[in-house]
Coordinates of all heavy atoms in Angstrom, one line a residue:
M500 N 0.8 -1.2 0.0 CA 0.0 0.0 0.0 C 0.9 1.3 0.0 O 1.8 1.3 0.7 CB -0.9 -0.1 1.3 CG -1.9 1.1 1.3 SD -2.6 1.4 2.9 CE -3.5 -0.2 3.2
S501 N 0.5 2.2 -0.9 CA 1.3 3.5 -0.8 C 1.1 4.3 0.4 O 0.1 4.1 1.1 CB 0.9 4.3 -2.1 OG -0.4 4.8 -1.9
N502 N 2.0 5.3 0.6 CA 1.8 6.1 1.8 C 0.5 7.0 1.7 O -0.2 7.2 2.6 CB 3.0 7.1 1.9 CG 4.1 6.6 2.8 OD1 3.9 5.6 3.4 ND2 5.3 7.2 2.7
E503 N 0.3 7.3 0.5 CA -0.9 8.1 0.1 C -2.2 7.4 0.5 O -3.1 7.9 1.1 CB -0.9 8.4 -1.4 CG -1.8 9.6 -1.9 CD -1.6 9.8 -3.4 OE1 -2.5 9.1 -4.1 OE2 -0.8 10.6 -3.8
A504 N -2.2 6.1 0.2 CA -3.4 5.3 0.5 C -3.5 5.0 2.1 O -4.5 4.9 2.6 CB -3.3 4.0 -0.3
A505 N -2.3 4.8 2.7 CA -2.2 4.6 4.1 C -2.8 5.7 4.9 O -3.4 5.5 6.0 CB -0.8 4.2 4.6
N506 N -2.7 6.9 4.4 CA -3.2 8.1 5.1 C -4.5 8.6 4.6 O -4.9 9.8 4.9 CB -2.2 9.2 5.0 CG -0.8 8.8 5.7 OD1 -0.8 8.2 6.7 ND2 0.3 9.1 5.1
C507 N -5.1 7.8 3.8 CA -6.3 8.3 3.0 C -7.5 8.2 3.8 O -8.0 7.0 4.3 CB -6.5 7.6 1.8 SG -8.0 8.0 0.9
L508 N -8.3 9.4 4.1 CA -9.6 9.3 4.8 C -10.5 8.4 4.3 O -11.2 7.6 4.9 CB -10.1 10.7 4.8 CG -11.4 11.0 5.4 CD1 -11.4 10.8 7.0 CD2 -11.9 12.4 5.2
F509 N -10.7 8.5 2.9 CA -11.7 7.5 2.3 C -11.4 6.1 2.4 O -12.3 5.2 2.5 CB -12.0 8.0 0.8 CG -12.7 9.3 0.7 CD1 -12.9 9.9 -0.5 CD2 -13.2 10.0 1.8 CE1 -13.5 11.1 -0.7 CE2 -13.9 11.2 1.6 CZ -14.0 11.8 0.4
C510 N -10.0 5.7 2.3 CA -9.7 4.3 2.5 C -10.0 3.9 3.9 O -10.6 2.8 4.1 CB -8.2 4.2 2.3 SG -7.7 4.1 0.6
K511 N -9.9 4.8 4.9 CA -10.3 4.5 6.3 C -11.8 4.3 6.4 O -12.3 3.5 7.1 CB -9.8 5.5 7.2 CG -8.2 5.5 7.3 CD -7.7 6.6 8.2 CE -6.1 6.4 8.3 NZ -5.5 7.6 8.8
I512 N -12.6 5.1 5.7 CA -14.1 4.9 5.8 C -14.4 3.6 5.1 O -15.2 2.8 5.6 CB -14.8 6.1 5.0 CG1 -14.6 7.3 5.9 CG2 -16.3 5.8 4.9 CD1 -15.2 8.6 5.3
R513 N -13.8 3.3 3.9 CA -14.0 2.0 3.3 C -13.7 0.8 4.2 O -14.4 -0.2 4.2 CB -13.0 1.9 2.1 CG -13.1 0.6 1.3 CD -11.8 0.5 0.5 NE -10.6 0.4 1.3 CZ -9.4 0.6 0.9 NH1 -9.2 0.8 -0.5 NH2 -8.4 0.5 1.7
D514 N -12.6 1.0 5.0 CA -12.2 -0.2 5.9 C -12.9 -0.2 7.3 O -12.6 -1.0 8.1 CB -10.7 -0.1 6.0 CG -9.9 -0.4 4.7 OD1 -10.6 -0.9 3.8 OD2 -8.7 0.0 4.7
G515 N -13.7 0.8 7.5 CA -14.5 0.8 8.7 C -13.7 1.4 9.9 O -14.0 1.4 11.1
E516 N -12.4 2.0 9.6 CA -11.6 2.6 10.7 C -12.1 3.9 11.1 O -11.8 4.4 12.2 CB -10.2 2.7 10.1 CG -9.5 1.4 9.8 CD -8.2 1.6 9.1 OE1 -7.5 2.6 9.0 OE2 -7.7 0.6 8.4
I517 N -12.9 4.6 10.2 CA -13.5 5.9 10.5 C -15.0 5.6 10.1 O -15.3 5.1 9.2 CB -12.9 7.0 9.7 CG1 -11.6 7.4 10.1 CG2 -13.9 8.2 9.7 CD1 -10.9 8.4 9.3
P518 N -15.9 6.1 11.0 CA -17.3 5.8 10.7 C -17.8 6.5 9.4 O -17.4 7.6 9.2 CB -18.1 6.4 12.0 CG -17.1 7.0 12.9 CD -15.7 6.7 12.2
G519 N -18.7 5.8 8.8 CA -19.3 6.5 7.5 C -20.6 5.7 7.3 O -20.8 4.6 7.6
T520 N -21.5 6.4 6.6 CA -22.8 5.7 6.3 C -22.6 5.2 4.9 O -22.8 6.0 3.8 CB -23.9 6.8 6.3 OG1 -23.9 7.4 7.6 CG2 -25.3 6.1 6.1
I521 N -22.3 4.0 4.8 CA -22.1 3.3 3.6 C -23.5 2.9 2.9 O -24.4 2.3 3.6 CB -21.3 2.0 3.7 CG1 -20.1 2.2 4.6 CG2 -21.1 1.2 2.4 CD1 -18.8 2.6 3.7
V522 N -23.7 3.3 1.6 CA -25.0 3.0 1.0 C -24.9 1.9 0.0 O -25.8 1.4 -0.5 CB -25.7 4.3 0.5 CG1 -26.0 5.2 1.5 CG2 -24.8 5.0 -0.6
F523 N -23.7 1.6 -0.5 CA -23.4 0.6 -1.4 C -22.1 0.2 -1.4 O -21.1 1.0 -1.1 CB -23.7 1.1 -2.9 CG -23.5 0.1 -4.0 CD1 -24.4 -0.9 -4.3 CD2 -22.2 0.0 -4.5 CE1 -24.2 -1.9 -5.2 CE2 -22.0 -1.0 -5.5 CZ -23.0 -1.9 -5.9
R524 N -21.8 -1.1 -1.6 CA -20.4 -1.6 -1.6 C -20.4 -2.8 -2.4 O -21.2 -3.7 -2.3 CB -20.0 -1.9 -0.2 CG -18.7 -2.5 0.0 CD -18.5 -3.3 1.4 NE -18.5 -2.3 2.4 CZ -17.3 -1.6 2.8 NH1 -16.2 -1.9 2.1 NH2 -17.3 -0.8 3.8
D525 N -19.4 -2.9 -3.3 CA -19.1 -4.3 -3.8 C -17.6 -4.3 -4.1 O -16.9 -3.4 -3.5 CB -19.9 -4.5 -5.2 CG -19.4 -3.7 -6.4 OD1 -18.5 -2.9 -6.3 OD2 -20.2 -3.7 -7.4
E526 N -17.1 -5.2 -4.9 CA -15.6 -5.3 -4.9 C -14.9 -4.3 -5.7 O -13.7 -4.0 -5.5 CB -15.2 -6.8 -5.4 CG -15.4 -6.9 -6.9 CD -16.9 -7.4 -7.1 OE1 -17.8 -7.4 -6.2 OE2 -17.2 -7.6 -8.3
R527 N -15.7 -3.5 -6.5 CA -15.2 -2.4 -7.3 C -15.4 -1.1 -6.8 O -14.6 -0.2 -7.0 CB -15.6 -2.6 -8.7 CG -15.2 -3.8 -9.4 CD -16.1 -4.1 -10.7 NE -17.5 -4.4 -10.3 CZ -18.3 -5.0 -11.1 NH1 -18.0 -5.2 -12.4 NH2 -19.5 -5.3 -10.7
C528 N -16.5 -0.8 -6.1 CA -16.6 0.6 -5.6 C -17.4 0.6 -4.3 O -18.1 -0.4 -3.9 CB -17.5 1.4 -6.6 SG -19.2 0.9 -7.0
V529 N -17.4 1.8 -3.6 CA -18.0 2.0 -2.3 C -18.7 3.3 -2.5 O -18.0 4.3 -3.0 CB -17.0 2.0 -1.2 CG1 -17.7 2.2 0.1 CG2 -16.2 0.7 -1.1
A530 N -19.9 3.4 -2.0 CA -20.6 4.7 -2.0 C -21.0 5.0 -0.5 O -21.5 4.2 0.2 CB -21.8 4.7 -2.9
F531 N -20.8 6.2 -0.1 CA -21.1 6.6 1.3 C -21.6 8.1 1.3 O -21.3 8.9 0.4 CB -20.0 6.4 2.3 CG -18.7 7.0 1.9 CD1 -18.4 8.3 2.4 CD2 -17.8 6.3 1.0 CE1 -17.2 8.8 2.0 CE2 -16.6 7.0 0.6 CZ -16.3 8.1 1.2
K532 N -22.4 8.4 2.3 CA -22.9 9.8 2.4 C -21.9 10.8 2.8 O -21.0 10.5 3.7 CB -24.0 9.8 3.5 CG -25.3 9.1 3.0 CD -26.4 9.2 4.0 CE -27.7 8.5 3.4 NZ -28.8 8.5 4.4
D533 N -21.9 11.9 2.1 CA -20.9 13.0 2.5 C -21.2 13.6 3.8 O -22.4 13.7 4.2 CB -21.1 14.1 1.4 CG -19.8 15.1 1.5 OD1 -19.7 15.9 2.4 OD2 -19.0 15.0 0.6
I534 N -20.2 13.9 4.6 CA -20.4 14.4 6.0 C -21.0 15.8 5.9 O -21.6 16.3 7.0 CB -19.1 14.3 6.7 CG1 -19.3 14.2 8.2 CG2 -18.1 15.4 6.4 CD1 -18.1 13.9 9.1
A535 N -20.8 16.5 4.9 CA -21.3 17.9 4.9 C -22.1 18.1 3.5 O -21.5 18.7 2.6 CB -20.1 18.9 4.9
P536 N -23.2 17.6 3.4 CA -23.9 17.5 2.1 C -24.2 18.8 1.6 O -24.5 19.8 2.2 CB -25.3 16.7 2.5 CG -25.3 16.7 3.9 CD -24.0 16.9 4.5
R537 N -24.0 19.0 0.3 CA -24.2 20.3 -0.5 C -25.4 20.2 -1.3 O -25.7 21.0 -2.1 CB -23.0 20.5 -1.4 CG -21.6 20.5 -0.8 CD -21.6 21.5 0.4 NE -20.4 21.3 1.2 CZ -19.3 22.1 1.1 NH1 -19.2 23.1 0.2 NH2 -18.3 21.8 1.8
A538 N -26.2 19.1 -1.0 CA -27.6 19.0 -1.7 C -28.2 17.9 -0.9 O -27.7 17.2 -0.1 CB -27.3 18.4 -3.2
P539 N -29.7 18.0 -1.1 CA -30.4 17.0 -0.3 C -29.9 15.5 -0.3 O -30.0 14.8 0.6 CB -31.9 17.1 -0.8 CG -31.9 18.5 -1.3 CD -30.5 18.8 -1.8
M540 N -29.3 15.1 -1.5 CA -28.8 13.8 -1.6 C -27.3 14.1 -2.1 O -27.1 14.7 -3.1 CB -29.5 13.0 -2.6 CG -29.1 11.4 -2.5 SD -27.6 11.0 -3.2 CE -28.1 11.0 -4.9
H541 N -26.3 13.8 -1.3 CA -24.9 13.9 -1.6 C -24.1 12.7 -1.2 O -23.9 12.5 -0.1 CB -24.4 15.2 -0.9 CG -23.0 15.6 -1.4 ND1 -22.5 16.8 -0.9 CD2 -22.0 14.9 -2.1 CE1 -21.2 16.9 -1.5 NE2 -21.0 15.7 -2.1
T542 N -23.9 11.9 -2.2 CA -23.1 10.6 -1.9 C -21.8 10.6 -2.7 O -21.7 11.2 -3.8 CB -24.1 9.5 -2.5 OG1 -25.3 9.5 -1.8 CG2 -23.4 8.2 -2.3
L543 N -20.8 10.2 -2.0 CA -19.5 10.0 -2.6 C -19.3 8.6 -3.1 O -19.6 7.7 -2.4 CB -18.5 10.4 -1.5 CG -18.5 11.8 -0.9 CD1 -17.6 12.0 0.3 CD2 -18.2 12.9 -2.0
I544 N -18.7 8.5 -4.3 CA -18.6 7.2 -4.9 C -17.1 7.0 -5.2 O -16.6 7.8 -5.9 CB -19.4 7.0 -6.2 CG1 -20.8 7.3 -5.9 CG2 -19.2 5.7 -6.8 CD1 -21.7 7.7 -7.2
I545 N -16.5 6.0 -4.6 CA -15.0 5.9 -4.8 C -14.8 4.5 -5.3 O -15.5 3.5 -5.0 CB -14.3 6.1 -3.4 CG1 -14.7 5.0 -2.5 CG2 -14.5 7.5 -2.9 CD1 -13.8 4.9 -1.2
P546 N -13.7 4.4 -6.1 CA -13.3 3.0 -6.5 C -12.8 2.3 -5.1 O -12.2 2.9 -4.3 CB -12.2 3.2 -7.4 CG -11.6 4.6 -7.2 CD -12.8 5.3 -6.6
T547 N -13.1 1.0 -5.0 CA -12.7 0.3 -3.8 C -11.2 0.4 -3.6 O -10.6 0.6 -2.4 CB -13.1 -1.2 -3.7 OG1 -14.5 -1.2 -4.0 CG2 -12.8 -1.9 -2.5
E548 N -10.5 0.3 -4.7 CA -9.0 0.3 -4.6 C -8.6 1.8 -4.8 O -9.1 2.6 -5.6 CB -8.4 -0.4 -5.8 CG -6.9 -0.5 -5.8 CD -6.4 -1.3 -7.0 OE1 -7.2 -1.8 -7.8 OE2 -5.2 -1.2 -7.3
H549 N -7.6 2.3 -4.0 CA -7.1 3.7 -4.0 C -6.2 3.7 -5.3 O -5.1 3.2 -5.4 CB -6.3 3.9 -2.8 CG -5.8 5.3 -2.7 ND1 -6.2 6.3 -1.7 CD2 -4.9 6.0 -3.4 CE1 -5.6 7.5 -1.9 NE2 -4.8 7.3 -2.9
I550 N -6.7 4.4 -6.3 CA -6.0 4.4 -7.5 C -5.4 5.8 -7.9 O -6.1 6.8 -7.8 CB -7.1 4.1 -8.7 CG1 -7.7 2.8 -8.6 CG2 -6.3 4.1 -10.1 CD1 -8.9 2.5 -9.5
G551 N -4.1 5.8 -8.2 CA -3.5 7.1 -8.6 C -3.3 7.0 -10.2 O -2.2 7.0 -10.7
L552 N -4.5 7.0 -10.9 CA -4.5 6.7 -12.4 C -3.8 7.8 -13.2 O -2.9 7.5 -13.9 CB -5.9 6.6 -12.9 CG -6.2 6.3 -14.3 CD1 -5.4 4.9 -14.6 CD2 -7.6 6.2 -14.6
A553 N -4.1 9.1 -12.9 CA -3.5 10.2 -13.6 C -2.0 10.3 -13.3 O -1.1 10.4 -14.2 CB -4.1 11.6 -13.2
K554 N -1.6 9.9 -12.0 CA -0.2 9.9 -11.7 C 0.5 8.7 -12.5 O 1.6 8.9 -13.1 CB -0.1 9.6 -10.1 CG 1.2 10.0 -9.5 CD 1.1 9.7 -8.0 CE 2.2 10.2 -7.3 NZ 1.9 10.1 -5.8
D555 N -0.1 7.6 -12.5 CA 0.4 6.5 -13.2 C 0.6 6.7 -14.7 O 1.6 6.2 -15.4 CB -0.4 5.2 -13.0 CG -0.4 4.8 -11.5 OD1 0.4 5.2 -10.8 OD2 -1.2 3.9 -11.3
L556 N -0.3 7.5 -15.3 CA -0.1 7.8 -16.7 C 0.7 9.1 -17.0 O 0.9 9.5 -18.1 CB -1.6 8.1 -17.2 CG -2.5 6.9 -17.2 CD1 -4.0 7.3 -17.6 CD2 -2.0 5.8 -18.1
G557 N 1.3 9.7 -15.9 CA 2.2 10.8 -16.1 C 1.6 12.2 -16.3 O 2.2 13.1 -16.7
H558 N 0.3 12.3 -15.8 CA -0.4 13.6 -16.0 C -0.7 14.3 -14.7 O -1.4 15.4 -14.8 CB -1.6 13.4 -16.9 CG -1.3 13.1 -18.4 ND1 -0.9 14.1 -19.2 CD2 -1.3 12.0 -19.0 CE1 -0.6 13.6 -20.3 NE2 -0.9 12.3 -20.3
A559 N -0.4 13.8 -13.6 CA -0.9 14.3 -12.3 C -0.3 15.7 -12.0 O -1.1 16.6 -11.6 CB -0.5 13.4 -11.2
E560 N 1.0 16.0 -12.3 CA 1.6 17.2 -11.9 C 1.1 18.4 -12.9 O 0.7 19.4 -12.3 CB 3.1 17.1 -12.1 CG 3.8 18.1 -11.3 CD 5.4 17.8 -11.3 OE1 5.8 16.6 -11.3 OE2 6.1 18.8 -11.2
A561 N 1.0 18.2 -14.1 CA 0.6 19.3 -15.0 C -0.9 19.6 -14.8 O -1.3 20.8 -14.9 CB 0.9 19.0 -16.5
G562 N -1.6 18.6 -14.5 CA -3.1 18.8 -14.3 C -3.9 17.9 -15.3 O -3.5 17.6 -16.4
Y563 N -5.1 17.7 -14.8 CA -6.0 16.9 -15.6 C -7.4 17.2 -15.2 O -7.7 17.8 -14.2 CB -5.7 15.4 -15.5 CG -5.8 14.9 -14.1 CD1 -6.9 14.3 -13.6 CD2 -4.6 15.1 -13.2 CE1 -7.0 13.9 -12.3 CE2 -4.7 14.6 -11.9 CZ -6.0 14.0 -11.4 OH -6.0 13.6 -10.1
R564 N -8.4 16.8 -16.0 CA -9.8 17.0 -15.7 C -10.5 15.6 -15.7 O -10.3 14.9 -16.6 CB -10.4 18.0 -16.6 CG -11.9 18.3 -16.4 CD -12.3 19.5 -17.1 NE -11.7 20.7 -16.7 CZ -11.7 21.9 -17.5 NH1 -12.4 21.9 -18.5 NH2 -11.1 23.0 -17.0
V565 N -11.4 15.5 -14.7 CA -12.3 14.3 -14.8 C -13.7 14.8 -15.0 O -14.1 15.7 -14.2 CB -12.2 13.5 -13.5 CG1 -13.1 12.3 -13.5 CG2 -10.7 13.0 -13.2
V566 N -14.4 14.2 -16.0 CA -15.8 14.7 -16.2 C -16.7 13.6 -16.3 O -16.4 12.5 -16.9 CB -15.8 15.4 -17.7 CG1 -17.1 15.8 -18.1 CG2 -14.7 16.6 -17.7
L567 N -17.9 13.8 -15.8 CA -19.0 12.8 -16.0 C -20.1 13.7 -16.7 O -20.6 14.7 -16.2 CB -19.6 12.3 -14.7 CG -18.8 11.3 -14.0 CD1 -17.9 11.9 -12.9 CD2 -19.7 10.2 -13.3
N568 N -20.4 13.2 -17.9 CA -21.6 13.8 -18.7 C -22.8 13.1 -18.3 O -22.9 11.9 -18.3 CB -21.4 13.7 -20.1 CG -20.1 14.5 -20.6 OD1 -19.8 15.6 -20.0 ND2 -19.4 14.0 -21.5
C569 N -23.8 13.8 -17.8 CA -25.0 13.1 -17.3 C -26.3 13.5 -18.1 O -26.7 14.7 -18.0 CB -25.2 13.4 -15.8 SG -23.8 12.8 -14.8
N570 N -26.7 12.7 -18.9 CA -27.9 12.9 -19.8 C -27.7 13.9 -20.9 O -26.6 14.5 -21.1 CB -29.1 13.1 -18.9 CG -29.8 11.9 -18.4 OD1 -29.5 10.8 -18.9 ND2 -30.5 12.0 -17.3
A571 N -28.7 14.0 -21.8 CA -28.6 14.6 -23.1 C -28.0 16.1 -23.0 O -27.1 16.4 -23.7 CB -29.9 14.6 -23.8
D572 N -28.5 17.0 -22.1 CA -28.0 18.4 -22.1 C -26.6 18.4 -21.8 O -25.9 19.5 -22.1 CB -28.8 19.1 -21.1 CG -30.2 19.6 -21.7 OD1 -30.5 19.2 -22.8 OD2 -30.9 20.3 -20.9
A573 N -26.0 17.5 -21.1 CA -24.6 17.5 -20.8 C -23.7 16.8 -21.9 O -22.6 16.7 -21.7 CB -24.3 16.8 -19.4
G574 N -24.4 16.3 -22.9 CA -23.6 15.6 -24.0 C -23.4 14.2 -23.9 O -22.6 13.6 -24.6
Q575 N -24.1 13.5 -22.9 CA -23.8 12.1 -22.8 C -24.5 11.4 -24.0 O -25.5 11.7 -24.5 CB -24.5 11.6 -21.4 CG -24.2 10.1 -21.1 CD -24.8 9.7 -19.9 OE1 -25.5 10.3 -19.2 NE2 -24.4 8.5 -19.4
T576 N -23.7 10.5 -24.6 CA -24.3 9.6 -25.7 C -24.4 8.2 -25.4 O -25.1 7.5 -26.1 CB -23.4 9.9 -26.9 OG1 -22.1 9.4 -26.7 CG2 -23.4 11.3 -27.4
V577 N -23.5 7.7 -24.5 CA -23.6 6.3 -24.1 C -24.0 6.3 -22.6 O -23.4 6.8 -21.8 CB -22.3 5.7 -24.2 CG1 -22.2 4.2 -23.8 CG2 -21.7 5.7 -25.7
F578 N -25.1 5.6 -22.4 CA -25.8 5.8 -21.1 C -25.4 4.7 -20.2 O -26.3 4.1 -19.5 CB -27.3 5.9 -21.3 CG -27.7 7.2 -22.1 CD1 -27.6 7.1 -23.5 CD2 -27.8 8.4 -21.5 CE1 -27.9 8.3 -24.2 CE2 -27.9 9.6 -22.1 CZ -28.0 9.5 -23.6
H579 N -24.2 4.4 -20.1 CA -23.6 3.6 -19.0 C -22.6 4.4 -18.4 O -21.7 5.0 -18.9 CB -22.8 2.4 -19.7 CG -22.2 1.4 -18.7 ND1 -22.4 0.0 -18.8 CD2 -21.5 1.6 -17.6 CE1 -21.8 -0.6 -17.8 NE2 -21.2 0.3 -17.0
V580 N -22.9 4.8 -17.0 CA -22.1 5.8 -16.3 C -20.6 5.6 -16.5 O -20.1 4.5 -16.4 CB -22.6 5.9 -14.9 CG1 -22.1 4.6 -14.1 CG2 -22.0 7.2 -14.2
H581 N -19.9 6.8 -17.0 CA -18.5 6.6 -17.1 C -17.8 8.0 -16.9 O -18.4 8.9 -17.1 CB -18.1 6.1 -18.6 CG -18.8 7.0 -19.7 ND1 -20.2 6.8 -20.0 CD2 -18.3 7.9 -20.4 CE1 -20.4 7.7 -21.0 NE2 -19.3 8.3 -21.3
A582 N -16.5 8.0 -16.5 CA -15.9 9.2 -16.2 C -14.9 9.3 -17.4 O -14.3 8.4 -17.9 CB -15.1 9.1 -14.9
H583 N -14.7 10.6 -17.8 CA -13.7 11.0 -18.9 C -12.5 11.5 -18.1 O -12.6 12.4 -17.3 CB -14.1 12.0 -19.8 CG -15.3 11.6 -20.6 ND1 -15.3 11.4 -21.9 CD2 -16.7 11.5 -20.3 CE1 -16.6 11.1 -22.4 NE2 -17.3 11.2 -21.4
L584 N -11.3 11.0 -18.4 CA -10.1 11.5 -17.8 C -9.4 12.3 -18.9 O -9.0 11.5 -19.9 CB -9.2 10.4 -17.2 CG -7.8 10.7 -16.7 CD1 -7.9 11.8 -15.6 CD2 -7.1 9.5 -16.2
L585 N -9.3 13.5 -18.8 CA -8.7 14.4 -19.9 C -7.3 15.0 -19.4 O -7.4 15.6 -18.3 CB -9.7 15.5 -20.3 CG -11.2 15.0 -20.7 CD1 -12.1 16.2 -20.8 CD2 -11.1 14.3 -22.1
A586 N -6.3 14.9 -20.3 CA -5.1 15.5 -19.9 C -4.3 15.8 -21.1 O -4.6 15.4 -22.2 CB -4.3 14.6 -19.0
G587 N -3.1 16.5 -20.9 CA -2.3 16.7 -22.1 C -2.4 18.0 -22.8 O -1.7 18.3 -23.9
R588 N -3.3 18.9 -22.3 CA -3.4 20.2 -22.9 C -4.1 21.1 -21.8 O -4.6 20.6 -20.9 CB -4.4 20.2 -24.2 CG -5.8 19.8 -23.9 CD -6.7 20.0 -25.2 NE -8.0 19.4 -25.0 CZ -9.0 20.0 -24.5 NH1 -8.9 21.2 -23.8 NH2 -10.2 19.4 -24.4
V589 N -4.1 22.4 -22.1 CA -4.6 23.4 -21.1 C -6.2 23.4 -21.4 O -6.6 23.4 -22.6 CB -4.0 24.8 -21.3 CG1 -4.7 25.8 -20.4 CG2 -2.5 24.7 -20.9
M590 N -6.9 23.3 -20.2 CA -8.4 23.2 -20.5 C -9.0 24.6 -20.3 O -8.6 25.3 -19.4 CB -8.9 22.2 -19.4 CG -8.3 20.9 -19.3 SD -8.9 19.7 -20.2 CE -7.7 18.5 -20.2
G591 N -10.0 24.9 -21.0 CA -10.8 26.1 -20.7 C -11.9 25.9 -19.7 O -12.3 24.8 -19.3
W592 N -12.4 27.1 -19.2 CA -13.5 27.0 -18.2 C -14.5 28.1 -18.6 O -14.0 29.2 -18.7 CB -12.9 27.1 -16.8 CG -14.1 26.9 -15.8 CD1 -14.8 27.9 -15.2 CD2 -14.7 25.7 -15.4 NE1 -15.7 27.3 -14.3 CE2 -15.7 26.0 -14.5 CE3 -14.5 24.3 -15.8 CZ2 -16.4 25.0 -13.9 CZ3 -15.2 23.4 -15.2 CH2 -16.2 23.7 -14.3
P593 N -15.8 27.9 -18.5 CA -16.5 26.6 -18.4 C -16.3 25.7 -19.5 O -16.1 26.3 -20.7 CB -17.9 27.0 -18.0 CG -18.1 28.2 -18.8 CD -16.8 29.0 -18.8
P594 N -16.5 24.5 -19.4 CA -16.5 23.6 -20.6 C -17.6 23.9 -21.6 O -18.6 24.3 -21.1 CB -16.6 22.1 -20.0 CG -16.9 22.4 -18.6 CD -16.7 23.7 -18.2
G595 N -17.5 23.6 -22.8 CA -18.5 23.9 -23.7 C -19.6 23.0 -23.8 O -19.6 22.0 -23.1
Ligands
LIG1684 P1 -13.2 17.0 -2.4 O1 -13.2 18.3 -1.6 O2 -12.2 16.2 -2.3 O3 -13.9 17.2 -3.8 O4 -14.5 16.2 -1.6 C1 -14.2 15.7 -0.4 C2 -15.5 15.6 0.3 O5 -15.5 14.6 1.4 C3 -16.3 16.7 0.9 O6 -17.5 17.0 0.2 C4 -16.4 16.5 2.3 O7 -17.6 17.0 2.8 C5 -16.3 15.0 2.4 N1 -15.7 14.6 3.7 C6 -14.7 15.1 4.4 N2 -14.4 14.4 5.5 C7 -15.3 13.5 5.5 C8 -15.6 12.4 6.4 O8 -14.9 12.3 7.5 N3 -16.6 11.5 6.2 C9 -17.4 11.7 5.1 N4 -18.5 10.9 4.9 N5 -17.2 12.7 4.2 C10 -16.1 13.5 4.4
LIG1685 ZN1 -7.9 6.1 -0.5

């Protein structure tokens, strides 16, 4: 386990070392209620494994963006929930 994972709050919630309200769990992901909800329903969804994906791909330092497009107005075309990991160029804000 990396140092980063050993000190990770969410890994501790996943492992029951810190209390959390888990609403879903399987071998791939864990979902739990945010401690300071910003909406009537605010759930955090994490991969069960602490993944440093952007770091492993060499894009963590310069920066990257993770996007979930949700339904037609956001541009979603394939309706199986998925995250886009975008890196390798400067990104504009707000996204178009
Ligand atoms: P971030 O700022 O990394 O995008 O989101 C972190 C989220 O974790 C925040 O919404 C924050 O409220 C939540 N959070 C921080 N500490 C705890 C905790 O101890 N338990 C739970 N369930 N959520 C937490
Ligand atoms: Zn973690």
Side-chain angles (χ1 to χ4, degrees):
M500 186 195 297
S501 68
N502 271 349
E503 200 178 87
N506 296 321
C507 174
L508 176 66
F509 289 173
C510 284
K511 289 179 180 167
I512 291 173
R513 174 201 65 198
D514 294 341
E516 293 169 21
I517 289 178
T520 306
I521 309 269
V522 296
F523 178 85
R524 174 197 291 278
D525 70 9
E526 69 280 3
R527 288 165 298 193
C528 68
V529 180
F531 52 94
K532 292 187 177 174
D533 197 288
I534 201 168
R537 306 303 168 103
M540 199 282 283
H541 186 168
T542 298
L543 301 171
I544 304 160
I545 63 165
T547 303
E548 186 185 346
H549 183 114
I550 303 169
L552 185 58
K554 199 173 184 178
D555 295 347
L556 294 174
H558 288 286
E560 200 171 326
Y563 59 94
R564 182 171 289 169
V565 179
V566 177
L567 284 96
N568 296 324
C569 299
N570 279 341
D572 279 2
Q575 186 177 12
T576 59
V577 178
F578 295 92
H579 183 132
V580 69
H581 56 281
H583 298 253
L584 174 60
L585 305 168
R588 64 173 170 82
V589 175
M590 314 267 167
W592 185 260

